[in-house]
């Protein structure tokens, strides 16, 4: 019987690394006194890509949707569309200083 610990360990390590990316991207706005909602477009894009990747990893490895590629693609697409809408709203309507 094959162990499922390998893929789950990989997913956990990737999720932790992406959490560090999110922390660094969020801290850049704080360190430059821009505030968390005033991240530049590049940092906002880094946050969105990391969040989408984390969602994909959770859906694939922890929820077991790797065995159902259609469902995995559908749920990942829904997450990406939602993140794109939220990101577009942040870019279109920035918080006033």
């Amino acid at each position: 019987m094959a162990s499922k610990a390998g893929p789950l360990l990989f997913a956990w390590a990737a999720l932790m690394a992406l959490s560090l990316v999110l922390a660094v991207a969020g801290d850049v706005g704080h360190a430059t006194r821009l505030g968390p909602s005033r991240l530049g477009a590049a940092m906002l894009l880094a946050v969105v890509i990391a969040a989408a990747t984390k969602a994909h990893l959770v859906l694939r490895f922890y929820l077991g949707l790797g065995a159902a590629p259609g469902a995995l693609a559908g749920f990942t697409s829904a997450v990406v569309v939602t993140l794109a809408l939220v990101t577009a709203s942040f870019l279109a309507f920035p918080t006033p200083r």
Side-chain angles (χ1 to χ4, degrees):
M1 183 160 87
S3 172
K4 292 191 178 198
L8 287 178
L9 213 55
F10 163 77
W12 176 82
L15 288 169
M16 292 300 106
L18 288 167
S19 293
L20 287 173
V21 168
L22 288 171
V24 168
D27 193 44
V28 167
H30 179 70
T32 59
R33 297 185 184 170
L34 293 174
S37 64
R38 298 175 199 253
L39 295 175
M43 284 300 136
L44 187 59
L45 185 61
V47 168
V48 169
I49 290 172
T53 304
K54 287 179 72 168
H56 179 78
L57 288 171
V58 168
L59 289 168
R60 181 175 178 180
F61 291 104
Y62 288 101
L63 295 181
L65 291 182
L72 177 62
F75 281 116
T76 302
S77 297
V79 167
V80 168
V81 167
T82 302
L83 287 170
L85 289 171
V86 170
T87 302
S89 70
F90 267 101
L91 294 173
F93 307 107
T95 306
R97 290 183 185 233

